Amino acid sequence: MKALNLILTSLVLVTSVSLPKAEAKNVLETETNQAESTFLVSANGNQLTTKQPTLIALNDTYWGPNQDFKIRMPGSIQQNELRKLVSWSNTTQTIYIIAHTDLPVETPYLSAEKIRELLQTSMRGQMTTTGKIFRSTNLEIAGYPGLELLVQHSDGTTGQYQGFIVKGRMYVIGAVTQGELTTEAVNFFDSFRVYPERVR
């Protein structure tokens, strides 16, 4: 159980991308180099095409490497790695992220209550080190438990994060901005879909 908590905490830490305004501008101006462009693909009609890390992602739907999830990423891609994708929306001055990792083999055998407890412990524990949680909501996706946190980070940014554990794979998605989260962020979170039958 300790190993599982450590993995969850490290994944949440990776997704905590609260950036001061100056750093956020640098993210926008800095193109990602040598990232793995095979991570996610964009769906254009019925044809799947590989997305390069620095191409504009506005309204593009991205699929996970096993086609186990899809999400619409606003803005332009800043980081494109095997298990993490980060984009920056200049329109709303918001950073978006999706990250995923496989958890230990015993995870799928845990009860929904135990999984919620793990999400609460790891996500809340990590977020309280970077700011104050002012809303926590239990979620569900495709029948699997999840958690949403709204955080006021110590640097003044606002972050919204959702975490789900589906058949032993954890997904964390987030949006961070200096101002208020907009409809763009709502659409980002609403677009996330998981296909449990493809998680392997």
Side-chain angles (χ1 to χ4, degrees), residues 169-187:
R169 183 167 293 160
M170 184 176 184
Y171 303 89
V172 178
I173 56 178
V176 181
T177 185
Q178 281 289 139
E180 292 184 14
L181 292 163
T182 65
T183 305
E184 182 183 83
V186 172
N187 293 337

Side-chain angles (χ1 to χ4, degrees), residues 137-166:
T137 309
N138 284 334
L139 300 175
E140 192 175 282
I141 192 166
Y144 292 87
L147 177 69
E148 178 179 77
L149 298 177
L150 202 54
V151 180
Q152 185 68 50
H153 291 288
S154 52
D155 65 1
T157 58
T158 300
Q160 181 178 348
Y161 305 91
Q162 292 181 358
F164 300 96
I165 296 178
V166 179

Side-chain angles (χ1 to χ4, degrees), residues 6-195:
L6 182 62
I7 290 170
L8 291 174
T9 300
S10 62
L11 180 62
V12 172
L13 178 63
V14 162
T15 61
S16 300
V17 279
S18 55
L19 296 178
K21 208 170 203 173
E23 286 182 44
K25 285 185 178 180
N26 287 340
V27 168
L28 177 64
E29 294 165 3
T30 305
E31 293 188 350
T32 306
N33 55 7
Q34 299 175 352
E36 293 182 33
S37 62
T38 56
F39 168 36
L40 300 172
V41 293
S42 170
N44 299 325
N46 292 329
Q47 185 179 5
L48 294 176
T49 57
T50 302
K51 291 296 293 181
Q52 296 301 318
T54 56
L55 294 182
I56 298 300
L58 190 59
N59 296 322
D60 278 354
T61 299
Y62 288 87
W63 289 84
N66 297 324
Q67 304 290 303
D68 57 315
F69 73 87
K70 70 177 179 179
I71 193 166
R72 294 192 117 187
M73 294 294 288
S76 58
I77 298 303
Q78 300 299 307
Q79 192 174 353
N80 187 348
E81 298 175 358
L82 183 60
R83 298 197 176 273
K84 182 171 71 171
L85 182 71
V86 180
S87 72
W88 165 257
S89 171
N90 200 35
T91 307
T92 60
Q93 304 286 293
T94 305
I95 290 177
Y96 294 95
I97 186 168
I98 178 165
H100 63 92
T101 191
D102 291 326
L103 301 176
V105 293
E106 66 270 14
T107 307
Y109 302 103
L110 297 175
S111 67
E113 182 181 320
K114 200 65 165 165
I115 288 175
R116 282 193 198 284
E117 186 182 309
L118 281 169
L119 286 168
Q120 285 280 353
T121 302
S122 60
M123 289 181 71
R124 290 181 69 88
Q126 183 56 48
M127 293 305 171
T128 53
T129 65
T130 64
K132 181 181 177 184
I133 298 169
F134 56 94
R135 189 179 75 209
S136 175
T137 309
N138 284 334
L139 300 175
E140 192 175 282
I141 192 166
Y144 292 87
L147 177 69
E148 178 179 77
L149 298 177
L150 202 54
V151 180
Q152 185 68 50
H153 291 288
S154 52
D155 65 1
T157 58
T158 300
Q160 181 178 348
Y161 305 91
Q162 292 181 358
F164 300 96
I165 296 178
V166 179
K167 290 176 71 175
R169 183 167 293 160
M170 184 176 184
Y171 303 89
V172 178
I173 56 178
V176 181
T177 185
Q178 281 289 139
E180 292 184 14
L181 292 163
T182 65
T183 305
E184 182 183 83
V186 172
N187 293 337
F188 164 75
F189 286 106
D190 286 349
S191 73
F192 183 60
R193 299 286 181 274
V194 173
Y195 302 94

